[in-house]
Amino acid sequence: MFVLVVKNGTRSQSDSRSFISFSAILCVATWRKGAESAEGGSECVRPPAPPPHHQSASESCPRRLSASSIPQIRCWFTACRNTTRLEGPSLFQCAWCSVNWILCLKCCDNVYVLNYPISVYHLRIVSTNIPSSGSAQPITVMKVVSLQLPSGPSMERLPLPFSPTELLWRYPLPWAPPPPSPLGDTKAQLPVGLPPEPRLWTREDVAVFLKWCEREFDLPNFDMDLFQMNGKALCLLTKTDLGERCPGAGDVLHNVLQMLVRDAALLGRVPSSPVTPTARAAPYPPSPHSHPPTPTWAVDGFHHFHSAAAAAAQPNSVTLSPAPSVDSSGSPQRGETLSYASAYAPPVPVQAASSGSNHSDSDDEAQFAPPPRSPKETPLTSPAPQTHSASQHTHYRAQHREFFPNDMPESNTNGRLLWDFLQQLLNDPTQRYTNYIAWKNRDTGVFKIVDPAGLAKLWGIQKNHLSMNYDKMSRALRYYYRVNILRKVQGERHCYQFLRNPTELKNIKNISLLRQQMSPTRVTPQSVVKTEMKEERCEDEHVEEDMPTDLSMAASEPWRKRARSDNSQPSLTHDKHRISALIGESMMMKRESEYNPEHYALNLKSEKCEQ
DNA sequence: CACCCGGAAGCTCG
DNA sequence: GCGAGCTTCCGGGT
């Protein structure tokens, strides 16, 4: 047991790196009232659920509830590799009572992911690697003692080795005003001309930023070929993604980006949130452990712990409807504490939501569906590989050619449309939804609904139709057949194939909007596709007139109304079916291996013209 | 029995 | 009010 007292901490040369890296460390401590708990072993145990009263801002720091005891502090970290850079004890301060603590983070060899966002202590790091009084003995049991330093909110009164502006805050409490930006200094050092909002960066800005990071944090040189993306795409990358692109520096990069995004969001500079929710009522009860609103379905501790900062840094996350408390600017709306994740956490509903789904239908399921995950098991629990092989580079280069690349263009429907919803689940950077839906062949857009009932449940939550089931959802999917968004993979249950990549889908929408602006008459998707076909010099008049090409299968469907009401044109329905069948057959004739998504639509039109 | 298909009508939301 | 995009229900086929 070591009791360390800080007298004068000095900042090492490498501290700037550790300092930033530490921003991703989610440090939580437990406390126990009795002194008997102070002699715990060296292994970490999962912290108990925080008492409800600790959710309240009005409560005093719990340490004061046990002033006579020496709390045993244990830290639970997400898998931040850079924790190992904290070679020695570090000075922390309780954000609630400003009492200082010395924690040796190096001792926390057990890594857990938090399953709730806030615990007893909300620690902020003050300095790292402070001198440990010359002791060379290993610290096996992490003990701390409050320093005999003046307590109180005023940091200036504390004999800190750094200026107060260098205090790194953890993710902000939902009820507390945001602390001063920990990146204040860093932002001031950002290259001139670089917008403070990373998601507004161009490719060139990203390159400038990376070069700056190399210098600023003494990072290994990045392979710029792996970062041919704009800022939005860069922010979309997870820590693991970044770690694989730049071994040994991904977490630094990720943390810096997150902080920049968070700060931009807090300052309201974010023009639009990629996780913009739909504004609906919130029928779901908040979690007993209400916490900073999380506009994603993330349930692992890391994401659970994140507030709007992390949400903003994960633009590809799926937004649940009703809306999480993220406004259009991407910043959290304080006061709201929705916790969708705890109630509808995917790893939990896998059992809860899937009522009788059939999982024994496919022999090849195991080829693409990973084993079910524990709620605590996330990619973040496993540190990203330190080594980086050439094959990984190849992998990422190959991804740029995929049908649905990771940095695919962002849709502006935010998961409100079924196809978009599915794609967001499929392309989730952390693969959290593979228990529900997974790619079978990403290149060809073939995917399998692993858990139909569970997926339908999620879709129902998304659309606030809680009675949704697979039968209904599959009906919606079938409407996509006739507009060539989807097709059924014959002979394989729950297997579908995207026939258009997101870019195409987005473009169709944009074309529609464009045509609406240019044409005095309202342009429907039918006419859009018709125009596309005209542009392809397709001469089939029947197709132009009668082919249903949009999703308006309801009363607004002119072709069907005509077919039903006008008996003098019985061929319309026939033509419709013939054309649909034609399309389907054409699709099926295409072997998946021959599928070229970029040219498929064009080829299909040509084939139809030929026939 | 589950899955799949597609018609029909209705609903919600922008 | 209108249209898009489903949702709900259903009968029928495999």
Side-chain angles (χ1 to χ4, degrees), chain A residues 470 475 478-479 481-482 488 493-494 554 576-577:
Chain A
Y470 180 66
R475 182 70 192 94
R478 288 194 294 274
Y479 274 131
Y481 294 172
R482 60 179 69 178
K488 186 76 180 68
R493 280 184 169 185
H494 309 136
K576 182 195 69 176
H577 286 298

mmCIF file of all heavy atoms in Angstrom, chain A residues 470 475 478-479 481-482 488 493-494 554 576-577, chain B residues 2-11 13-14:
data_model
loop_
_atom_site.group_PDB
_atom_site.id
_atom_site.type_symbol
_atom_site.label_atom_id
_atom_site.label_comp_id
_atom_site.label_asym_id
_atom_site.label_seq_id
_atom_site.Cartn_x
_atom_site.Cartn_y
_atom_site.Cartn_z
ATOM 1 N N TYR A 470 -41.920 -8.992 -37.946
ATOM 2 C CA TYR A 470 -41.184 -9.245 -39.182
ATOM 3 C C TYR A 470 -42.111 -9.305 -40.388
ATOM 4 O O TYR A 470 -41.730 -8.905 -41.488
ATOM 5 C CB TYR A 470 -40.399 -10.547 -39.065
ATOM 6 C CG TYR A 470 -39.609 -10.850 -40.320
ATOM 7 C CD1 TYR A 470 -38.551 -10.025 -40.698
ATOM 8 C CD2 TYR A 470 -39.914 -11.931 -41.126
ATOM 9 C CE1 TYR A 470 -37.833 -10.278 -41.841
ATOM 10 C CE2 TYR A 470 -39.200 -12.201 -42.279
ATOM 11 C CZ TYR A 470 -38.161 -11.367 -42.638
ATOM 12 O OH TYR A 470 -37.445 -11.617 -43.776
ATOM 13 N N ARG A 475 -43.002 -6.701 -45.356
ATOM 14 C CA ARG A 475 -43.873 -6.097 -46.363
ATOM 15 C C ARG A 475 -43.263 -4.798 -46.864
ATOM 16 O O ARG A 475 -43.278 -4.505 -48.073
ATOM 17 C CB ARG A 475 -45.266 -5.834 -45.786
ATOM 18 C CG ARG A 475 -46.224 -5.244 -46.795
ATOM 19 C CD ARG A 475 -46.587 -6.297 -47.828
ATOM 20 N NE ARG A 475 -47.280 -5.747 -48.989
ATOM 21 C CZ ARG A 475 -46.645 -5.393 -50.104
ATOM 22 N NH1 ARG A 475 -45.328 -5.480 -50.184
ATOM 23 N NH2 ARG A 475 -47.327 -4.936 -51.137
ATOM 24 N N ARG A 478 -40.588 -5.603 -49.136
ATOM 25 C CA ARG A 478 -41.022 -6.050 -50.465
ATOM 26 C C ARG A 478 -41.415 -4.885 -51.364
ATOM 27 O O ARG A 478 -41.344 -4.990 -52.581
ATOM 28 C CB ARG A 478 -42.179 -7.036 -50.318
ATOM 29 C CG ARG A 478 -41.749 -8.377 -49.775
ATOM 30 C CD ARG A 478 -42.819 -9.420 -49.951
ATOM 31 N NE ARG A 478 -44.013 -9.157 -49.175
ATOM 32 C CZ ARG A 478 -44.168 -9.528 -47.897
ATOM 33 N NH1 ARG A 478 -43.201 -10.169 -47.263
ATOM 34 N NH2 ARG A 478 -45.279 -9.261 -47.251
ATOM 35 N N TYR A 479 -41.826 -3.807 -50.729
ATOM 36 C CA TYR A 479 -42.103 -2.632 -51.563
ATOM 37 C C TYR A 479 -40.837 -2.104 -52.223
ATOM 38 O O TYR A 479 -40.902 -1.388 -53.218
ATOM 39 C CB TYR A 479 -42.741 -1.528 -50.720
ATOM 40 C CG TYR A 479 -44.226 -1.677 -50.610
ATOM 41 C CD1 TYR A 479 -44.850 -1.606 -49.385
ATOM 42 C CD2 TYR A 479 -45.007 -1.886 -51.738
ATOM 43 C CE1 TYR A 479 -46.222 -1.735 -49.269
ATOM 44 C CE2 TYR A 479 -46.367 -2.025 -51.633
ATOM 45 C CZ TYR A 479 -46.980 -1.948 -50.391
ATOM 46 O OH TYR A 479 -48.320 -2.084 -50.301
ATOM 47 N N TYR A 481 -38.763 -3.939 -53.668
ATOM 48 C CA TYR A 481 -38.438 -4.739 -54.850
ATOM 49 C C TYR A 481 -38.712 -3.963 -56.124
ATOM 50 O O TYR A 481 -37.899 -3.924 -57.042
ATOM 51 C CB TYR A 481 -39.280 -6.021 -54.866
ATOM 52 C CG TYR A 481 -39.000 -6.997 -53.760
ATOM 53 C CD1 TYR A 481 -39.816 -8.112 -53.590
ATOM 54 C CD2 TYR A 481 -37.952 -6.817 -52.873
ATOM 55 C CE1 TYR A 481 -39.577 -9.032 -52.572
ATOM 56 C CE2 TYR A 481 -37.717 -7.722 -51.849
ATOM 57 C CZ TYR A 481 -38.527 -8.827 -51.701
ATOM 58 O OH TYR A 481 -38.301 -9.720 -50.703
ATOM 59 N N ARG A 482 -39.863 -3.366 -56.146
ATOM 60 C CA ARG A 482 -40.295 -2.781 -57.417
ATOM 61 C C ARG A 482 -39.608 -1.473 -57.720
ATOM 62 O O ARG A 482 -39.761 -0.943 -58.817
ATOM 63 C CB ARG A 482 -41.813 -2.601 -57.421
ATOM 64 C CG ARG A 482 -42.320 -1.710 -56.336
ATOM 65 C CD ARG A 482 -43.826 -1.569 -56.413
ATOM 66 N NE ARG A 482 -44.515 -2.805 -56.071
ATOM 67 C CZ ARG A 482 -45.836 -2.923 -56.027
ATOM 68 N NH1 ARG A 482 -46.595 -1.895 -56.306
ATOM 69 N NH2 ARG A 482 -46.398 -4.062 -55.696
ATOM 70 N N LYS A 488 -34.939 -10.036 -53.209
ATOM 71 C CA LYS A 488 -34.825 -11.192 -52.342
ATOM 72 C C LYS A 488 -33.789 -12.132 -52.925
ATOM 73 O O LYS A 488 -33.767 -12.369 -54.133
ATOM 74 C CB LYS A 488 -36.179 -11.901 -52.259
ATOM 75 C CG LYS A 488 -36.230 -13.050 -51.280
ATOM 76 C CD LYS A 488 -36.323 -12.532 -49.854
ATOM 77 C CE LYS A 488 -36.372 -13.699 -48.871
ATOM 78 N NZ LYS A 488 -35.119 -14.454 -48.816
ATOM 79 N N ARG A 493 -33.404 -17.893 -46.721
ATOM 80 C CA ARG A 493 -34.328 -17.181 -45.846
ATOM 81 C C ARG A 493 -33.698 -15.917 -45.290
ATOM 82 O O ARG A 493 -32.534 -15.899 -44.902
ATOM 83 C CB ARG A 493 -34.736 -18.087 -44.681
ATOM 84 C CG ARG A 493 -35.795 -19.090 -45.038
ATOM 85 C CD ARG A 493 -36.192 -19.872 -43.816
ATOM 86 N NE ARG A 493 -37.378 -20.669 -44.048
ATOM 87 C CZ ARG A 493 -37.987 -21.380 -43.113
ATOM 88 N NH1 ARG A 493 -37.514 -21.389 -41.891
ATOM 89 N NH2 ARG A 493 -39.069 -22.070 -43.398
ATOM 90 N N HIS A 494 -34.502 -14.921 -45.255
ATOM 91 C CA HIS A 494 -34.122 -13.656 -44.623
ATOM 92 C C HIS A 494 -32.919 -13.024 -45.294
ATOM 93 O O HIS A 494 -32.221 -12.225 -44.676
ATOM 94 C CB HIS A 494 -33.836 -13.850 -43.129
ATOM 95 C CG HIS A 494 -34.929 -14.567 -42.406
ATOM 96 N ND1 HIS A 494 -34.696 -15.563 -41.501
ATOM 97 C CD2 HIS A 494 -36.275 -14.443 -42.476
ATOM 98 C CE1 HIS A 494 -35.839 -16.023 -41.027
ATOM 99 N NE2 HIS A 494 -36.815 -15.349 -41.606
ATOM 100 N N ALA A 554 -49.588 3.498 -51.819
ATOM 101 C CA ALA A 554 -50.858 3.727 -51.157
ATOM 102 C C ALA A 554 -51.860 4.334 -52.116
ATOM 103 O O ALA A 554 -51.786 4.162 -53.316
ATOM 104 C CB ALA A 554 -50.636 4.657 -49.960
ATOM 105 N N LYS A 576 -47.500 -4.261 -65.417
ATOM 106 C CA LYS A 576 -46.790 -4.002 -64.172
ATOM 107 C C LYS A 576 -46.132 -5.273 -63.655
ATOM 108 O O LYS A 576 -44.958 -5.296 -63.290
ATOM 109 C CB LYS A 576 -47.761 -3.445 -63.136
ATOM 110 C CG LYS A 576 -47.107 -3.105 -61.819
ATOM 111 C CD LYS A 576 -48.112 -2.919 -60.724
ATOM 112 C CE LYS A 576 -48.767 -4.228 -60.375
ATOM 113 N NZ LYS A 576 -49.683 -4.098 -59.237
ATOM 114 N N HIS A 577 -46.929 -6.317 -63.616
ATOM 115 C CA HIS A 577 -46.375 -7.570 -63.126
ATOM 116 C C HIS A 577 -45.284 -8.090 -64.055
ATOM 117 O O HIS A 577 -44.275 -8.615 -63.609
ATOM 118 C CB HIS A 577 -47.485 -8.616 -62.999
ATOM 119 C CG HIS A 577 -48.380 -8.360 -61.836
ATOM 120 N ND1 HIS A 577 -47.920 -8.366 -60.538
ATOM 121 C CD2 HIS A 577 -49.700 -8.048 -61.765
ATOM 122 C CE1 HIS A 577 -48.918 -8.106 -59.709
ATOM 123 N NE2 HIS A 577 -50.017 -7.898 -60.441
ATOM 124 P P DA B 2 -44.891 -20.745 -36.484
ATOM 125 O OP1 DA B 2 -44.320 -20.556 -35.126
ATOM 126 O OP2 DA B 2 -46.166 -20.096 -36.856
ATOM 127 O "O5'" DA B 2 -43.799 -20.309 -37.547
ATOM 128 C "C5'" DA B 2 -42.638 -21.103 -37.713
ATOM 129 C "C4'" DA B 2 -41.958 -20.745 -39.013
ATOM 130 O "O4'" DA B 2 -42.721 -21.288 -40.119
ATOM 131 C "C3'" DA B 2 -41.838 -19.242 -39.264
ATOM 132 O "O3'" DA B 2 -40.519 -18.929 -39.646
ATOM 133 C "C2'" DA B 2 -42.840 -18.965 -40.385
ATOM 134 C "C1'" DA B 2 -42.889 -20.298 -41.109
ATOM 135 N N9 DA B 2 -44.158 -20.572 -41.787
ATOM 136 C C8 DA B 2 -45.414 -20.450 -41.266
ATOM 137 N N7 DA B 2 -46.366 -20.762 -42.106
ATOM 138 C C5 DA B 2 -45.694 -21.112 -43.260
ATOM 139 C C6 DA B 2 -46.136 -21.540 -44.522
ATOM 140 N N6 DA B 2 -47.425 -21.692 -44.834
ATOM 141 N N1 DA B 2 -45.200 -21.804 -45.458
ATOM 142 C C2 DA B 2 -43.918 -21.639 -45.145
ATOM 143 N N3 DA B 2 -43.373 -21.252 -43.989
ATOM 144 C C4 DA B 2 -44.330 -20.999 -43.082
ATOM 145 P P DC B 3 -40.117 -17.417 -39.769
ATOM 146 O OP1 DC B 3 -38.731 -17.310 -39.262
ATOM 147 O OP2 DC B 3 -41.184 -16.558 -39.226
ATOM 148 O "O5'" DC B 3 -40.102 -17.240 -41.349
ATOM 149 C "C5'" DC B 3 -39.313 -18.138 -42.118
ATOM 150 C "C4'" DC B 3 -39.753 -18.076 -43.562
ATOM 151 O "O4'" DC B 3 -41.127 -18.488 -43.665
ATOM 152 C "C3'" DC B 3 -39.668 -16.686 -44.198
ATOM 153 O "O3'" DC B 3 -38.745 -16.731 -45.258
ATOM 154 C "C2'" DC B 3 -41.099 -16.417 -44.694
ATOM 155 C "C1'" DC B 3 -41.677 -17.822 -44.774
ATOM 156 N N1 DC B 3 -43.157 -17.903 -44.665
ATOM 157 C C2 DC B 3 -43.913 -18.348 -45.755
ATOM 158 O O2 DC B 3 -43.336 -18.657 -46.795
ATOM 159 N N3 DC B 3 -45.260 -18.413 -45.634
ATOM 160 C C4 DC B 3 -45.847 -18.071 -44.490
ATOM 161 N N4 DC B 3 -47.182 -18.161 -44.435
ATOM 162 C C5 DC B 3 -45.099 -17.624 -43.366
ATOM 163 C C6 DC B 3 -43.764 -17.555 -43.498
ATOM 164 P P DC B 4 -38.225 -15.389 -45.841
ATOM 165 O OP1 DC B 4 -36.896 -15.652 -46.415
ATOM 166 O OP2 DC B 4 -38.419 -14.327 -44.853
ATOM 167 O "O5'" DC B 4 -39.247 -15.130 -47.048
ATOM 168 C "C5'" DC B 4 -39.341 -16.100 -48.082
ATOM 169 C "C4'" DC B 4 -40.524 -15.779 -48.957
ATOM 170 O "O4'" DC B 4 -41.742 -16.081 -48.243
ATOM 171 C "C3'" DC B 4 -40.632 -14.308 -49.372
ATOM 172 O "O3'" DC B 4 -40.374 -14.195 -50.762
ATOM 173 C "C2'" DC B 4 -42.082 -13.926 -49.038
ATOM 174 C "C1'" DC B 4 -42.748 -15.270 -48.788
ATOM 175 N N1 DC B 4 -43.880 -15.244 -47.837
ATOM 176 C C2 DC B 4 -45.172 -15.548 -48.287
ATOM 177 O O2 DC B 4 -45.327 -15.833 -49.477
ATOM 178 N N3 DC B 4 -46.192 -15.507 -47.412
ATOM 179 C C4 DC B 4 -45.978 -15.189 -46.147
ATOM 180 N N4 DC B 4 -47.033 -15.169 -45.320
ATOM 181 C C5 DC B 4 -44.666 -14.878 -45.656
ATOM 182 C C6 DC B 4 -43.664 -14.923 -46.539
ATOM 183 P P DC B 5 -40.210 -12.798 -51.363
ATOM 184 O OP1 DC B 5 -39.289 -12.929 -52.516
ATOM 185 O OP2 DC B 5 -39.948 -11.813 -50.309
ATOM 186 O "O5'" DC B 5 -41.657 -12.534 -51.928
ATOM 187 C "C5'" DC B 5 -42.261 -13.495 -52.812
ATOM 188 C "C4'" DC B 5 -43.687 -13.117 -53.068
ATOM 189 O "O4'" DC B 5 -44.463 -13.425 -51.894
ATOM 190 C "C3'" DC B 5 -43.897 -11.632 -53.339
ATOM 191 O "O3'" DC B 5 -44.145 -11.445 -54.714
ATOM 192 C "C2'" DC B 5 -45.123 -11.256 -52.490
ATOM 193 C "C1'" DC B 5 -45.582 -12.580 -51.902
ATOM 194 N N1 DC B 5 -46.073 -12.508 -50.494
ATOM 195 C C2 DC B 5 -47.428 -12.641 -50.231
ATOM 196 O O2 DC B 5 -48.213 -12.804 -51.172
ATOM 197 N N3 DC B 5 -47.864 -12.554 -48.949
ATOM 198 C C4 DC B 5 -46.985 -12.374 -47.960
ATOM 199 N N4 DC B 5 -47.455 -12.311 -46.717
ATOM 200 C C5 DC B 5 -45.587 -12.249 -48.218
ATOM 201 C C6 DC B 5 -45.179 -12.317 -49.481
ATOM 202 P P DG B 6 -43.982 -10.035 -55.341
ATOM 203 O OP1 DG B 6 -43.696 -10.203 -56.774
ATOM 204 O OP2 DG B 6 -43.094 -9.234 -54.486
ATOM 205 O "O5'" DG B 6 -45.459 -9.441 -55.189
ATOM 206 C "C5'" DG B 6 -46.533 -10.140 -55.781
ATOM 207 C "C4'" DG B 6 -47.839 -9.605 -55.249
ATOM 208 O "O4'" DG B 6 -47.955 -9.933 -53.850
ATOM 209 C "C3'" DG B 6 -47.985 -8.074 -55.342
ATOM 210 O "O3'" DG B 6 -49.284 -7.772 -55.792
ATOM 211 C "C2'" DG B 6 -47.800 -7.627 -53.901
ATOM 212 C "C1'" DG B 6 -48.423 -8.808 -53.160
ATOM 213 N N9 DG B 6 -48.046 -8.904 -51.764
ATOM 214 C C8 DG B 6 -46.808 -8.704 -51.215
ATOM 215 N N7 DG B 6 -46.789 -8.853 -49.914
ATOM 216 C C5 DG B 6 -48.105 -9.178 -49.591
ATOM 217 C C6 DG B 6 -48.693 -9.448 -48.339
ATOM 218 O O6 DG B 6 -48.161 -9.463 -47.234
ATOM 219 N N1 DG B 6 -50.059 -9.724 -48.463
ATOM 220 C C2 DG B 6 -50.749 -9.740 -49.647
ATOM 221 N N2 DG B 6 -52.042 -10.024 -49.575
ATOM 222 N N3 DG B 6 -50.203 -9.485 -50.823
ATOM 223 C C4 DG B 6 -48.887 -9.213 -50.719
ATOM 224 P P DG B 7 -49.617 -6.425 -56.463
ATOM 225 O OP1 DG B 7 -49.543 -6.612 -57.914
ATOM 226 O OP2 DG B 7 -48.838 -5.364 -55.826
ATOM 227 O "O5'" DG B 7 -51.145 -6.249 -56.030
ATOM 228 C "C5'" DG B 7 -52.020 -7.369 -56.164
ATOM 229 C "C4'" DG B 7 -53.199 -7.209 -55.246
ATOM 230 O "O4'" DG B 7 -52.788 -7.522 -53.897
ATOM 231 C "C3'" DG B 7 -53.802 -5.805 -55.213
ATOM 232 O "O3'" DG B 7 -55.220 -5.912 -55.233
ATOM 233 C "C2'" DG B 7 -53.309 -5.219 -53.895
ATOM 234 C "C1'" DG B 7 -53.165 -6.462 -53.018
ATOM 235 N N9 DG B 7 -52.131 -6.380 -51.990
ATOM 236 C C8 DG B 7 -50.778 -6.221 -52.203
ATOM 237 N N7 DG B 7 -50.083 -6.193 -51.096
ATOM 238 C C5 DG B 7 -51.031 -6.353 -50.092
ATOM 239 C C6 DG B 7 -50.877 -6.402 -48.683
ATOM 240 O O6 DG B 7 -49.829 -6.309 -48.023
ATOM 241 N N1 DG B 7 -52.098 -6.575 -48.028
ATOM 242 C C2 DG B 7 -53.306 -6.687 -48.667
ATOM 243 N N2 DG B 7 -54.370 -6.845 -47.872
ATOM 244 N N3 DG B 7 -53.475 -6.647 -49.978
ATOM 245 C C4 DG B 7 -52.291 -6.480 -50.627
ATOM 246 P P DA B 8 -56.104 -4.658 -55.645
ATOM 247 O OP1 DA B 8 -57.339 -5.170 -56.270
ATOM 248 O OP2 DA B 8 -55.275 -3.678 -56.346
ATOM 249 O "O5'" DA B 8 -56.470 -4.055 -54.213
ATOM 250 C "C5'" DA B 8 -57.186 -4.872 -53.298
ATOM 251 C "C4'" DA B 8 -57.246 -4.171 -51.958
ATOM 252 O "O4'" DA B 8 -55.979 -4.336 -51.289
ATOM 253 C "C3'" DA B 8 -57.495 -2.663 -52.041
ATOM 254 O "O3'" DA B 8 -58.752 -2.384 -51.458
ATOM 255 C "C2'" DA B 8 -56.352 -2.034 -51.242
ATOM 256 C "C1'" DA B 8 -55.784 -3.214 -50.474
ATOM 257 N N9 DA B 8 -54.342 -3.152 -50.199
ATOM 258 C C8 DA B 8 -53.338 -2.999 -51.102
ATOM 259 N N7 DA B 8 -52.132 -2.985 -50.567
ATOM 260 C C5 DA B 8 -52.380 -3.131 -49.225
ATOM 261 C C6 DA B 8 -51.518 -3.202 -48.110
ATOM 262 N N6 DA B 8 -50.199 -3.114 -48.196
ATOM 263 N N1 DA B 8 -52.089 -3.362 -46.888
ATOM 264 C C2 DA B 8 -53.415 -3.442 -46.805
ATOM 265 N N3 DA B 8 -54.330 -3.386 -47.785
ATOM 266 C C4 DA B 8 -53.728 -3.238 -48.971
ATOM 267 P P DA B 9 -59.401 -0.948 -51.595
ATOM 268 O OP1 DA B 9 -60.856 -1.129 -51.756
ATOM 269 O OP2 DA B 9 -58.629 -0.157 -52.567
ATOM 270 O "O5'" DA B 9 -59.117 -0.347 -50.135
ATOM 271 C "C5'" DA B 9 -59.456 -1.117 -49.001
ATOM 272 C "C4'" DA B 9 -58.819 -0.515 -47.763
ATOM 273 O "O4'" DA B 9 -57.398 -0.798 -47.800
ATOM 274 C "C3'" DA B 9 -58.960 1.006 -47.651
ATOM 275 O "O3'" DA B 9 -59.574 1.313 -46.422
ATOM 276 C "C2'" DA B 9 -57.525 1.537 -47.719
ATOM 277 C "C1'" DA B 9 -56.720 0.326 -47.278
ATOM 278 N N9 DA B 9 -55.357 0.287 -47.807
ATOM 279 C C8 DA B 9 -54.959 0.403 -49.106
ATOM 280 N N7 DA B 9 -53.661 0.328 -49.283
ATOM 281 C C5 DA B 9 -53.176 0.147 -48.003
ATOM 282 C C6 DA B 9 -51.866 -0.002 -47.507
ATOM 283 N N6 DA B 9 -50.771 0.008 -48.268
ATOM 284 N N1 DA B 9 -51.719 -0.169 -46.166
ATOM 285 C C2 DA B 9 -52.816 -0.174 -45.402
ATOM 286 N N3 DA B 9 -54.099 -0.041 -45.750
ATOM 287 C C4 DA B 9 -54.206 0.115 -47.077
ATOM 288 P P DG B 10 -59.955 2.795 -46.041
ATOM 289 O OP1 DG B 10 -61.263 2.758 -45.380
ATOM 290 O OP2 DG B 10 -59.721 3.665 -47.212
ATOM 291 O "O5'" DG B 10 -58.837 3.129 -44.948
ATOM 292 C "C5'" DG B 10 -58.573 2.185 -43.920
ATOM 293 C "C4'" DG B 10 -57.318 2.588 -43.174
ATOM 294 O "O4'" DG B 10 -56.165 2.295 -43.999
ATOM 295 C "C3'" DG B 10 -57.253 4.079 -42.825
ATOM 296 O "O3'" DG B 10 -57.007 4.233 -41.452
ATOM 297 C "C2'" DG B 10 -56.100 4.609 -43.670
ATOM 298 C "C1'" DG B 10 -55.245 3.364 -43.887
ATOM 299 N N9 DG B 10 -54.450 3.395 -45.104
ATOM 300 C C8 DG B 10 -54.938 3.519 -46.386
ATOM 301 N N7 DG B 10 -53.990 3.513 -47.286
ATOM 302 C C5 DG B 10 -52.822 3.372 -46.555
ATOM 303 C C6 DG B 10 -51.473 3.302 -46.994
ATOM 304 O O6 DG B 10 -51.040 3.356 -48.151
ATOM 305 N N1 DG B 10 -50.591 3.159 -45.915
ATOM 306 C C2 DG B 10 -50.969 3.091 -44.603
ATOM 307 N N2 DG B 10 -49.976 2.964 -43.723
ATOM 308 N N3 DG B 10 -52.212 3.150 -44.178
ATOM 309 C C4 DG B 10 -53.084 3.292 -45.207
ATOM 310 P P DC B 11 -57.233 5.620 -40.743
ATOM 311 O OP1 DC B 11 -58.087 5.408 -39.564
ATOM 312 O OP2 DC B 11 -57.608 6.637 -41.757
ATOM 313 O "O5'" DC B 11 -55.751 5.937 -40.257
ATOM 314 C "C5'" DC B 11 -54.966 4.894 -39.683
ATOM 315 C "C4'" DC B 11 -53.519 5.318 -39.704
ATOM 316 O "O4'" DC B 11 -53.001 5.125 -41.032
ATOM 317 C "C3'" DC B 11 -53.304 6.792 -39.360
ATOM 318 O "O3'" DC B 11 -52.597 6.894 -38.132
ATOM 319 C "C2'" DC B 11 -52.478 7.351 -40.520
ATOM 320 C "C1'" DC B 11 -52.026 6.117 -41.286
ATOM 321 N N1 DC B 11 -51.947 6.301 -42.761
ATOM 322 C C2 DC B 11 -50.707 6.287 -43.402
ATOM 323 O O2 DC B 11 -49.684 6.134 -42.735
ATOM 324 N N3 DC B 11 -50.661 6.453 -44.744
ATOM 325 C C4 DC B 11 -51.792 6.614 -45.428
ATOM 326 N N4 DC B 11 -51.692 6.767 -46.751
ATOM 327 C C5 DC B 11 -53.069 6.621 -44.795
ATOM 328 C C6 DC B 11 -53.108 6.466 -43.468
ATOM 329 P P DC B 13 -46.785 11.362 -36.551
ATOM 330 O OP1 DC B 13 -45.953 10.960 -35.405
ATOM 331 O OP2 DC B 13 -47.970 12.232 -36.358
ATOM 332 O "O5'" DC B 13 -45.840 12.079 -37.623
ATOM 333 C "C5'" DC B 13 -44.882 11.289 -38.309
ATOM 334 C "C4'" DC B 13 -44.409 12.030 -39.544
ATOM 335 O "O4'" DC B 13 -45.395 11.891 -40.595
ATOM 336 C "C3'" DC B 13 -44.191 13.531 -39.336
ATOM 337 O "O3'" DC B 13 -42.912 13.892 -39.777
ATOM 338 C "C2'" DC B 13 -45.289 14.181 -40.176
ATOM 339 C "C1'" DC B 13 -45.509 13.125 -41.263
ATOM 340 N N1 DC B 13 -46.847 13.147 -41.901
ATOM 341 C C2 DC B 13 -46.962 12.974 -43.277
ATOM 342 O O2 DC B 13 -45.941 12.796 -43.949
ATOM 343 N N3 DC B 13 -48.200 13.000 -43.845
ATOM 344 C C4 DC B 13 -49.271 13.186 -43.092
ATOM 345 N N4 DC B 13 -50.461 13.200 -43.693
ATOM 346 C C5 DC B 13 -49.173 13.367 -41.676
ATOM 347 C C6 DC B 13 -47.955 13.341 -41.132
ATOM 348 P P DG B 14 -42.320 15.258 -39.301
ATOM 349 O OP1 DG B 14 -41.117 14.922 -38.511
ATOM 350 O OP2 DG B 14 -43.363 16.128 -38.728
ATOM 351 O "O5'" DG B 14 -41.859 15.883 -40.688
ATOM 352 C "C5'" DG B 14 -41.202 15.056 -41.627
ATOM 353 C "C4'" DG B 14 -41.355 15.644 -43.021
ATOM 354 O "O4'" DG B 14 -42.701 15.426 -43.500
ATOM 355 C "C3'" DG B 14 -41.100 17.150 -43.097
ATOM 356 O "O3'" DG B 14 -40.330 17.441 -44.253
ATOM 357 C "C2'" DG B 14 -42.496 17.742 -43.184
ATOM 358 C "C1'" DG B 14 -43.249 16.646 -43.948
ATOM 359 N N9 DG B 14 -44.684 16.610 -43.684
ATOM 360 C C8 DG B 14 -45.292 16.690 -42.462
ATOM 361 N N7 DG B 14 -46.594 16.621 -42.533
ATOM 362 C C5 DG B 14 -46.853 16.479 -43.886
ATOM 363 C C6 DG B 14 -48.085 16.359 -44.574
ATOM 364 O O6 DG B 14 -49.223 16.347 -44.114
ATOM 365 N N1 DG B 14 -47.894 16.242 -45.955
ATOM 366 C C2 DG B 14 -46.672 16.238 -46.576
ATOM 367 N N2 DG B 14 -46.680 16.125 -47.901
ATOM 368 N N3 DG B 14 -45.509 16.357 -45.944
ATOM 369 C C4 DG B 14 -45.679 16.470 -44.610
#
